[in-house]
Amino acid sequence: MRPTVRSRRLGSRLAHYRRESGLSGTEVAARLGIHQATWSKIESGKTKVSPTVLAKAVEVLDIPASVAAQLDTLRRKSEEQGWWQDYGDILSEAVQMLIELEADASWIRTYEGHLIPGLLQTRRYAERVITAVSPHIRVADIDRYLELRMRRQKRIDEGLRLTAILGEAAVRQQVGGPDTLREQLRHVTRMVREHDVTVQIVPFTADAHAALGDSFTVIQWPDEADPEAVYVDGVTSWTVHERDGVIRSYLHALASVQAQALAPRESLDLIHDVIKELP
């Protein structure tokens, strides 16, 4: 079984309570009546957890009832088919992981130096980005990629909080031409006005910051006990970071770049100025 985000979150939280209890994986497995290798796979999210095993683990690890309910919800969701699996034939593993991360998120913070983030892209802007970045994509698949991107954005309608820090280049690069960019920038301002979306622009006049040359996304889940994750996607590779030390480094980078950014109101003023300047 390929670990899903939900199964890994469940395993991570069980591992946390197992360490808090002072028990080894072998001791927990013995008390649950399962093999140690099976418990190891549960902690790494590589195997499903039955309701019976989870109930016993809650008892053995003395997990509070309120947390136990959250874990059972994660267990059930980890077995569900995600809507994105309908696009499995065109989805890269990187994009699938990102969508899984977004699916349960309560707050997403992202830094993009040169592009409007996917969660805020219009269909025309997204089409130009997709065809430019993937020149060999089959024409028949373009509409499905666009449909997928638009479907991801429904999370904002569902109450997802989004904080997007953008380099000034992202709001000036005329992706798709002036008309497409104008439509895109108006869409960004509308999303800020109508949803829990904050946009801040790092102006060209800003000094160096810790996120120079990088783009990344920090994901936070509703339960504060859950660790954050950081998704980093490059031209040739992608990574999901879940270790505390690495996450702290990216949070530092995010704070560094945000300190150089214009305030939200000033950022919207800059976007309006760019719209006026477009031919």
Side-chain angles (χ1 to χ4, degrees):
M1 170 180 159
R2 184 186 71 80
T4 65
V5 171
R6 289 163 176 167
S7 66
R8 291 195 325 191
R9 287 173 61 203
L10 174 58
S12 174
R13 298 194 61 189
L14 288 172
H16 166 77
Y17 281 102
R18 192 259 305 160
R19 289 191 294 270
E20 287 285 305
S21 72
L23 297 173
S24 68
T26 301
E27 291 170 323
V28 171
R31 296 190 186 190
L32 297 179
I34 61 177
H35 293 294
Q36 191 278 331
T38 300
W39 178 255
S40 179
K41 288 180 180 179
I42 288 173
E43 288 196 358
S44 61
K46 293 180 180 179
T47 192
K48 294 180 180 179
V49 185
S50 71
T52 302
V53 168
L54 181 58
K56 288 183 179 178
V58 165
E59 183 178 344
V60 168
L61 301 177
D62 197 24
I63 297 175
S66 59
V67 175
Q70 296 167 1
L71 296 182
D72 190 56
T73 298
L74 268 180
R75 180 196 62 77
R76 287 186 286 103
K77 285 188 173 183
S78 69
E79 297 179 353
E80 294 175 356
Q81 293 282 322
W83 62 262
W84 53 88
Q85 292 175 332
D86 292 340
Y87 302 85
D89 57 318
I90 63 170
L91 266 184
S92 67
E93 187 177 359
V95 175
Q96 180 169 330
M97 180 63 73
L98 176 59
I99 296 173
E100 287 184 20
L101 288 167
E102 293 172 348
D104 294 332
S106 58
W107 185 19
I108 288 178
R109 286 167 284 176
T110 186
Y111 170 67
E112 289 278 358
H114 298 91
L115 285 174
I116 302 297
L119 288 172
L120 293 175
Q121 291 177 5
T122 63
R123 189 178 181 90
R124 280 206 298 172
Y125 185 98
E127 181 174 6
R128 185 66 193 107
V129 171
I130 290 169
T131 54
V133 173
S134 306
H136 304 298
I137 189 173
R138 295 191 309 167
V139 174
D141 288 336
I142 292 176
D143 280 345
R144 296 188 68 215
Y145 276 106
L146 291 171
E147 182 182 272
L148 174 69
R149 186 156 300 188
M150 297 303 105
R151 195 165 176 181
R152 282 174 55 200
Q153 296 178 2
K154 290 183 178 180
R155 288 290 293 111
I156 295 179
D157 295 329
E158 296 165 355
L160 171 69
R161 180 184 179 190
L162 174 65
T163 300
I165 314 299
L166 311 178
E168 186 172 343
V171 299
R172 290 195 179 274
Q173 184 79 34
Q174 293 186 19
V175 174
D179 288 343
T180 296
L181 180 60
R182 183 182 296 107
E183 176 190 50
Q184 174 62 73
L185 295 180
R186 286 173 175 166
H187 175 70
V188 169
T189 62
R190 184 167 59 253
M191 295 298 285
V192 170
R193 186 171 63 250
E194 298 177 359
H195 298 278
D196 193 0
V197 173
T198 301
V199 172
Q200 290 182 254
I201 309 297
V202 182
F204 287 141
T205 54
D207 197 355
H209 53 74
L212 275 178
D214 210 348
S215 293
F216 57 90
T217 300
V218 179
I219 295 95
Q220 177 73 52
W221 287 287
D223 182 4
E224 294 181 2
D226 273 340
E228 294 166 319
V230 175
Y231 175 89
V232 183
D233 194 7
V235 176
T236 59
S237 64
W238 64 277
T239 309
V240 174
H241 298 289
E242 296 174 295
R243 296 196 305 275
D244 289 345
V246 178
I247 291 172
R248 281 196 297 272
S249 295
Y250 277 98
L251 290 176
H252 166 74
L254 189 68
S256 172
V257 70
Q258 197 161 16
Q260 297 283 352
L262 299 173
R265 180 66 261 176
E266 295 173 327
S267 297
L268 287 180
D269 290 342
L270 175 58
I271 291 174
H272 287 304
D273 289 342
V274 174
I275 292 173
K276 292 177 183 177
E277 293 168 8
L278 288 170

